[in-house]
Amino acid sequence: MPSEDHGHGADTGSPPPLSHTLNVEPGAIPGLRSAFAGALTKLDEQIELAITEVRVRPWAGDPVSQDAAERFNERSLESGDSALIALENYQRQLKSAMDALTLVERQYQSIEEDNTGLMGQQGSR
């Protein structure tokens, strides 16, 4: 079950970083990585669409539509808390989770190889 540790530090105006811990059985790692990879592929496509297709132009050519288009673009793509920034942050989190799963899988494999070697040594005595 994931647990969250909320850091306490100076108030920077942004939420404190979260730390997540997840206990995973070794046999579940390939399936988890596959699920994360699928989510990442879909997310990459949505980010690309957001970058290339979401920006709007003033549709009526008047000051009202100019202002609306500017505000939409800023809120969707440009501001610090835009939808695009949120998607990119999620993308980084997915990549980080996949990297962590790869590391854990390597550690499990190393331990298994060590255990197999030790058992082989004990059996030959």
Side-chain angles (χ1 to χ4, degrees), residues 5 16 21 30 32 37 41 45 60 62 66 74 93 98 111 113:
D5 299 320
T21 303
L32 279 172
T41 297
E45 293 169 2
D62 65 333
Q66 175 70 33
E74 180 180 339
Q93 289 174 350
M98 288 180 61
I111 290 168
E113 289 170 3

Side-chain angles (χ1 to χ4, degrees), residues 36-52 84 87-88 90-92 94-95 98:
F36 285 4
L40 191 56
T41 297
K42 291 177 185 175
L43 185 58
D44 289 344
E45 293 169 2
Q46 293 305 309
I47 289 173
E48 183 62 29
L49 281 173
I51 291 170
T52 60
L84 179 59
L87 289 174
E88 289 171 337
Y90 180 48
Q91 180 186 47
R92 278 190 290 282
L94 279 175
K95 287 178 181 178
M98 288 180 61

Side-chain angles (χ1 to χ4, degrees), residues 46-117:
Q46 293 305 309
I47 289 173
E48 183 62 29
L49 281 173
I51 291 170
T52 60
E53 302 291 328
V54 170
R55 187 172 302 278
V56 297
R57 292 182 179 86
W59 50 91
D62 65 333
V64 172
S65 63
Q66 175 70 33
D67 183 53
E70 287 174 7
R71 287 178 187 235
F72 177 86
N73 290 332
E74 180 180 339
R75 185 71 181 127
S76 300
L77 303 169
E78 299 163 3
S79 70
D81 63 345
S82 70
L84 179 59
I85 297 293
L87 289 174
E88 289 171 337
N89 286 337
Y90 180 48
Q91 180 186 47
R92 278 190 290 282
Q93 289 174 350
L94 279 175
K95 287 178 181 178
S96 177
M98 288 180 61
D99 290 345
L101 285 170
T102 298
L103 178 62
V104 168
E105 185 175 42
R106 286 183 189 146
Q107 290 171 342
Y108 280 138
Q109 288 171 347
S110 176
I111 290 168
E112 285 299 313
E113 289 170 3
D114 290 348
N115 289 343
T116 301

